[in-house]
Amino acid sequence: IMSIFGEVPQAAPVAVFKLTADFREDQNHSKVNLGVGAYRTDECQPWVLPVVRKVEKMIADDHSLNHEYLPILGLPEFRSSASKIALGEDSPAIKDNRVGAVQCLGGTGALKIGAEFLRRWYNGTDNTKTPVYVSAPTWENHNAVFSNAGFEDIRPYKYWDAGKRGLDLEGFLGDLESAPDHSIFVLHACAHNPTGTDPTQDQWKKIADVMKRKSLFAFFDSAYQGFASGNLDKDAWAVRYFVSQGFELFCAQSFSKNFGLYNERVGNLTVVAKDQDNLNRALSQMEKIVRITWSNPPSQGARLVAITLNTPELFAEWKDNVKTMAERVLLMRAQLKEKLKALGTPGTWEHITEQIGMFSFTGLNPKQVEYLVKEKHVYLMASGRINMCGLTTKNIDYVAESIHEAVTTVQ
Amino acid sequence: MTVSLINGGRGVYILFFFFFSSWWTEVQMGPPDPILGVTEAFKRDTNPKKMNLGVGAYRDDQGKPFVLNCVRKAEAQIAAKKLDKEYLPIGGMAEFSKACAQLALGPDNEVLKSGRSITVQTISGTGSLRVGANFVSRFHNVSRDVYLPKPSWGNHTPIFRDAGMQLKAYSYYDPKTCGFDFKGALDEISKIPEKSVIVLHACAHNPTGVDPRPEQWKEMAALIKKRNLLVFFDMAYQGFASGDIDRDAWAVRYFIEQGHNILLSQSFAKNMGLYGERVGGFTVVCKDAEEAKRVESQLKILIRPIYSNPPMNGARIASTILNTPELYKEWLVEVKGMADRIIKMREMLVSNLKKEGSTHNWQHVIDQIGMFCFTGLKPEQVERLIKEFSIYMTKDGRISVAGVTSANVGYLAHAIHAVTK
């Protein structure tokens, strides 16, 4: 019989996971994985946060808990405490009862629900033609999330200036100006992925000005709050500034990195609306979207985060754990830059400490990247993106020397 | 522009509101979920005798949620290992997916031995159906039609519709007998255009509880093959229906044996009581291992932009149970226990109705299987049950037998008799 799937083509693997797969197969003792974005300790091990272990045990010991379905929109105490993290405990918008949230499957899930809602309800009831702008470059899954939600016109906005290895503010503002009014812009709240380059506060103000004037929709992607600078409030400055400027916006929050809960899929779509009535109607429609996507979200991770955020001692302990991670990353940045300078590696390396968060856009070209992977067994993305968490005090010399070799050997 | 001055106590906040109204002014209020609406009303009711026979979650004989012992044990085992929380692959936990497929197909199934199927871990049954619907929509280009039994689970329609498919129906439930409209089903299936997708409930049909008998399944399989339809099984109650996991999977296995390369959605929400952990699987039976690899790669492409990769907790629990012989044995006993309690409640309801003096034929309550029972009650009777007796169910007369206990079955019988005599 002819198979119905006879014509199904083999799809290309997702690059970042292929990189890790290749790394795993590599037998070389010096190999280093600077690919996928997950935190590693100085022993290059995954790190389950001490506060997470503590709360897990609390949950396990509480026999009054069960595995019943959560509401469609998720665990209420998770949703509200997560939104408070993003917008601040004293957020006027929260006090005005115009902030709501949907618990989602990680940051991806939050982007998904937000995208699906916008396509149906944002500017009229069919936004398939509404332009969605994502930064050039951006997290590779942004495109797919929005196109799968039905958006047909996904465009880049200028962001990374390869020449000066920093933000192309002029280009960014120019693209904002030339965007059709009511376009949707996906903004990285902090620790831009993959460049690690964030606008300054003054630059954010300029961005907000144009967006307000042209009625552009702000869809924040916040996957690294706390993880970028070590300070939750500092990392949320941009989102809170936009709220203070009166924007209605979405903020897709992930607790994968800052709680180390990667595989529990803990995310939150925070919705800021003009008033409670508009908020409620929007949430009711999001509920319908959730029901036909996953019905209701997984309970374990949300419970864990809710207990932590709502218990003062645990909240303090969590902030401390987050600071630990952020500080190790900052240390690796400082040391890598120092070593490259000491080696006299051609080029400027200031961007390594100017950039923020998990990733650094090294500026290495594809040939140099290939050299690193093939000859030195140092695995990084073709874009030149490295995960700083993959660096340790034990491998940083090898990595610095390898980069030096790549830059001086390959042009 | 409206300028609002709000004294925040520590300062003055100046909020500038946009000239235009909210983005969401045109957003209509979504209709309340019919099943959740039942629970909401139930919660507000102050009658001490109230009963919630709406949503389909198992309750023990005290009316309490039930966490299986094997689940608690698996959780303890997992906790002791102090595992990390690294991302799962897009397709989920390999040991889980393998065990999930084995449970459905039987460990010695030729399909598994030849490697000609792919199973991905999904967000319970809904997530599985969604991935399946998206897959069919993208790759089954020869037809846009999905045929559901009449009636079917309420969420089937919007899932397939949102994925871009057209919904049609085939006759299934006979309200005259409260049973299976076998003749009507065969008749309508024989007219379904070739290559359409046909959804079959593997066991414990939701909402009616009416399942075909094996001889009837055999005729359906032959007819469906003749019509060259793409079979999509929804199996949300394996083990939970009859108490026997092999018996409940019989139809799925028979169809495969007869040469149907099926699609299959599985849920562990009910049979392992893992509702909120969202544990499920989606399987595609292919022509050969090479095709299965291609299909797998495309499923990953579909999944990544929805949620990237699935949640670990529930899958770890399910995998531990399925892959640990003592826990697996214990699970089989517990699942049978749940199924047996439901069967007992069905019998008690009917015997109590007889005791009340009801002269109606309530045989269907015993003949139907699984969590739900299509009582045959009319909307006005349902309305009375809600208003006069605080007994909550959906308007179609569907009750969740799991909500019935030995303590309240008498009251339920009394009330049903009162509105039907």
Side-chain angles (χ1 to χ4, degrees):
Chain A
I1 325 159
M2 269 290 290
S3 165
I4 34 182
F5 306 124
E7 305 299 308
V8 173
Q10 176 78 33
V14 178
V16 67
F17 298 131
K18 171 114 193 358
L19 192 74
T20 293
D22 290 344
F23 170 81
R24 281 216 186 96
E25 279 174 26
D26 192 330
Q27 302 297 318
N28 187 294
H29 293 298
S30 307
K31 66 178 181 175
V32 180
N33 187 357
L34 302 178
V36 79
Y39 179 79
R40 291 284 175 271
T41 62
D42 199 52
E43 283 73 44
C44 222
Q45 291 301 308
W47 192 50
V48 178
L49 276 56
V51 74
V52 166
R53 285 279 183 238
K54 197 181 275 187
V55 179
E56 266 185 334
K57 188 161 192 323
M58 284 166 62
I59 292 172
D61 291 343
D62 184 351
H63 285 258
S64 73
L65 293 174
N66 53 43
H67 294 290
E68 292 297 291
Y69 288 125
L70 285 182
I72 296 174
L73 294 180
L75 189 67
E77 52 272 34
F78 165 77
R79 295 156 56 205
S80 56
S81 60
S83 291
K84 280 207 181 94
I85 289 293
L87 303 183
E89 183 76 42
D90 298 318
S91 169
I94 293 179
K95 291 197 162 78
D96 283 348
N97 293 313
R98 57 191 188 87
V99 173
V102 182
Q103 177 192 339
C104 295
L105 282 269
T108 305
L111 288 163
K112 167 70 171 175
I113 299 304
E116 289 283 351
F117 175 85
L118 289 173
R119 192 257 296 160
R120 290 163 170 74
W121 296 107
Y122 165 55
N123 189 21
T125 52
D126 177 6
N127 287 269
T128 50
K129 310 265 187 278
T130 303
V132 176
Y133 283 79
V134 298
S135 64
T138 194
W139 180 47
E140 118 289 327
N141 205 17
H142 276 149
N143 256 285
V145 170
F146 283 90
S147 68
N148 274 267
F151 287 98
E152 294 167 4
D153 185 357
I154 298 169
R155 311 178 182 183
Y157 61 86
K158 293 189 193 62
Y159 193 84
W160 169 251
D161 185 331
K164 71 172 219 253
R165 288 186 184 175
L167 180 70
D168 177 7
L169 180 69
E170 222 182 277
F172 189 172
L173 293 174
D175 281 346
L176 286 169
E177 288 288 0
S178 64
D181 284 9
H182 310 308
S183 297
I184 294 164
F185 272 75
V186 179
L187 306 170
H188 297 229
C190 69
H192 182 271
N193 177 1
T195 70
T197 299
D198 290 343
T200 62
Q201 290 185 4
D202 277 338
Q203 292 172 330
W204 273 122
K205 286 179 180 173
K206 293 197 170 86
I207 291 163
D209 275 346
V210 182
M211 289 187 71
K212 193 192 291 189
R213 193 177 7 98
K214 294 180 57 65
S215 306
L216 303 174
F217 185 79
F219 196 149
F220 277 98
D221 183 353
S222 178
Y224 302 98
Q225 191 185 358
F227 201 98
S229 70
N231 181 304
L232 289 168
D233 297 312
K234 193 157 169 222
D235 289 349
W237 186 88
V239 181
R240 296 176 190 184
Y241 177 73
F242 271 67
V243 172
S244 76
Q245 293 300 295
F247 282 84
E248 289 183 302
L249 54 80
F250 288 172
C251 182
Q253 302 169 259
S254 167
F255 292 91
S256 291
K257 284 86 172 171
N258 61 16
F259 256 89
L261 287 174
Y262 308 94
N263 68 22
E264 302 283 11
R265 315 311 294 124
V266 195
N268 195 47
L269 178 70
T270 287
V271 179
V272 181
K274 188 166 184 225
D275 54 44
Q276 189 171 51
D277 183 59
N278 279 292
L279 173 72
N280 287 341
R281 277 181 285 105
L283 288 176
S284 76
Q285 292 297 344
M286 287 179 180
E287 203 174 85
K288 285 180 71 180
I289 295 167
V290 169
R291 181 66 167 144
I292 57 175
T293 311
W294 56 63
S295 263
N296 42 78
S299 74
Q300 178 71 359
R303 246 178 203 162
L304 210 150
V305 173
I307 291 170
T308 307
L309 297 182
N310 289 315
T311 313
E313 322 85 69
L314 296 172
F315 182 49
E317 189 173 348
W318 172 59
K319 283 195 281 189
D320 212 54
N321 289 170
V322 169
K323 210 154 165 287
T324 298
M325 292 191 285
E327 282 174 357
R328 195 179 96 66
V329 169
L330 287 168
L331 180 67
M332 289 299 101
R333 286 185 178 278
Q335 285 191 358
L336 181 62
K337 181 178 89 174
E338 206 184 286
K339 287 182 193 295
L340 289 171
K341 281 173 126 170
L343 286 167
T345 309
T348 59
W349 301 101
E350 295 307 313
H351 57 284
I352 295 204
T353 48
E354 278 161 8
Q355 288 165 7
I356 195 169
M358 202 178 270
F359 302 113
S360 175
F361 236 32
T362 53
L364 295 164
N365 66 41
K367 285 212 184 75
Q368 293 164 336
V369 170
E370 204 186 334
Y371 181 88
L372 280 168
V373 176
K374 291 220 155 68
E375 305 302 321
K376 309 302 295 181
H377 308 275
V378 173
Y379 288 76
L380 67 159
M381 302 297 289
S383 60
R385 183 192 90 167
I386 61 173
N387 178 5
M388 300 305 297
C389 301
L391 290 173
T392 69
T393 49
K394 289 150 202 89
N395 68 23
I396 194 161
D397 283 313
Y398 178 71
V399 171
E401 280 152 20
S402 302
I403 291 176
H404 181 82
E405 226 180 273
V407 171
T408 51
T409 312
V410 183
Q411 258 71 60
Chain B
M1 265 218 295
T2 359
V3 175
S4 242
L5 287 167
I6 296 173
N7 190 329
R10 285 184 210 154
V12 174
Y13 299 91
I14 299 173
L15 298 166
F16 290 89
F17 288 97
F18 292 113
F19 173 70
F20 55 87
S21 58
S22 167
W23 281 125
W24 319 128
T25 307
E26 303 302 311
V27 175
Q28 299 149 26
M29 180 59 103
D33 187 277
I35 294 165
L36 261 112
V38 169
T39 296
E40 295 303 305
F42 167 82
K43 282 195 184 128
R44 289 192 294 267
D45 195 321
T46 51
N47 185 337
K49 289 195 155 160
K50 65 181 181 176
M51 289 175 68
N52 186 359
L53 302 179
V55 77
Y58 180 79
R59 294 287 175 264
D60 63 18
D61 204 46
Q62 275 69 52
K64 296 268 177 288
F66 175 54
V67 177
L68 279 63
N69 259 313
C70 63
V71 167
R72 290 225 187 273
K73 285 190 181 152
E75 286 177 308
Q77 271 185 32
I78 290 164
K81 291 191 182 145
K82 299 230 178 291
L83 300 163
D84 65 40
K85 299 201 175 288
E86 293 300 288
Y87 286 124
L88 283 177
I90 299 174
M93 226 187 126
E95 314 91 292
F96 166 77
S97 300
K98 185 159 180 243
C100 178
Q102 280 181 347
L103 179 68
L105 272 43
D108 297 320
N109 199 299
E110 149 278 315
V111 165
L112 298 175
K113 292 206 166 112
S114 67
R116 67 179 183 95
S117 67
I118 173 64
T119 299
V120 288
Q121 178 192 337
T122 56
I123 316 297
S124 205
T126 301
S128 175
L129 287 161
R130 187 58 209 240
V131 168
N134 286 3
F135 179 74
V136 159
S137 181
R138 186 172 280 187
F139 293 106
H140 189 59
N141 298 312
V142 293
S143 172
R144 300 284 82 193
D145 292 337
V146 173
Y147 282 77
L148 298 176
K150 213 182 329 177
S152 194
W153 181 44
N155 210 15
H156 277 147
T157 294
I159 288 172
F160 281 103
R161 178 177 298 139
D162 196 61
M165 305 301 286
Q166 303 254 56
L167 274 308
K168 305 229 157 84
Y170 59 91
S171 185
Y172 189 84
Y173 178 72
D174 185 349
K176 288 200 255 17
T177 61
C178 293
F180 183 34
D181 178 12
F182 182 46
K183 197 167 168 298
L186 286 180
D187 192 50
E188 293 197 0
I189 291 173
S190 69
K191 299 192 180 94
I192 295 179
E194 293 209 3
K195 301 185 183 161
S196 304
V197 179
I198 182 168
V199 172
L200 303 170
H201 295 222
C203 63
H205 180 272
N206 179 0
T208 68
V210 169
D211 286 348
R213 290 192 303 273
E215 326 82 77
Q216 295 171 323
W217 272 127
K218 284 179 177 172
E219 279 199 56
M220 288 168 72
L223 176 60
I224 289 169
K225 178 155 348 147
K226 198 153 148 243
R227 296 302 306 151
N228 194 16
L229 307 178
L230 174 55
V231 172
F232 196 145
F233 267 109
D234 185 355
M235 183 154 71
Y237 300 99
Q238 187 185 5
F240 201 93
S242 69
D244 181 324
I245 49 128
D246 294 311
R247 196 159 146 204
D248 288 348
W250 183 85
V252 170
R253 296 172 189 183
Y254 180 77
F255 269 68
I256 290 174
E257 240 173 77
Q258 296 304 302
H260 294 270
N261 284 351
I262 66 164
L263 307 173
L264 170 66
S265 283
Q266 290 169 263
S267 166
F268 290 86
K270 283 86 173 170
N271 60 13
M272 282 195 182
L274 290 174
Y275 307 92
E277 303 295 339
R278 320 309 292 128
V279 193
F282 175 65
T283 297
V284 181
V285 176
C286 301
K287 190 179 75 178
D288 52 42
E290 187 271 334
E291 182 175 278
K293 277 260 152 305
R294 281 184 283 117
V295 168
E296 180 184 14
S297 72
Q298 294 295 346
L299 289 174
K300 287 180 183 171
I301 300 286
L302 280 170
I303 290 170
R304 172 87 164 141
I306 306 176
Y307 54 84
S308 273
N309 41 75
M312 169 63 105
N313 196 52
R316 240 181 207 157
I317 295 170
S319 175
T320 302
I321 292 169
L322 294 172
N323 289 312
T324 312
E326 322 86 67
L327 289 180
Y328 183 67
K329 275 201 202 85
E330 191 168 352
W331 174 58
L332 293 179
V333 169
E334 289 192 283
V335 118
K336 185 166 190 309
M338 289 192 284
D340 285 348
R341 195 184 90 68
I342 303 258
I343 291 167
K344 180 141 185 266
M345 289 303 106
R346 290 178 179 277
E347 289 163 1
M348 281 182 76
L349 178 57
V350 172
S351 67
N352 272 277
L353 280 163
K354 290 202 176 109
K355 254 193 260 159
E356 289 280 332
S358 178
T359 52
H360 293 291
N361 180 356
W362 296 104
Q363 185 57 33
H364 57 281
V365 172
I366 294 176
D367 289 343
Q368 288 167 9
I369 192 167
M371 197 175 280
F372 300 113
C373 167
F374 241 32
T375 54
L377 292 165
K378 303 192 184 58
E380 322 81 73
Q381 295 166 328
V382 171
E383 186 78 28
R384 283 188 64 195
L385 282 174
I386 295 174
K387 292 226 150 69
E388 294 172 34
F389 296 92
S390 297
I391 294 174
Y392 292 81
M393 63 188 69
T394 44
K395 285 208 170 58
D396 53 10
R398 182 194 88 163
I399 61 171
S400 171
V401 184
V404 181
T405 68
S406 32
N408 64 25
V409 66
Y411 178 67
L412 176 62
H414 175 76
I416 291 177
H417 177 60
V419 306
T420 56
K421 60 183 175 193

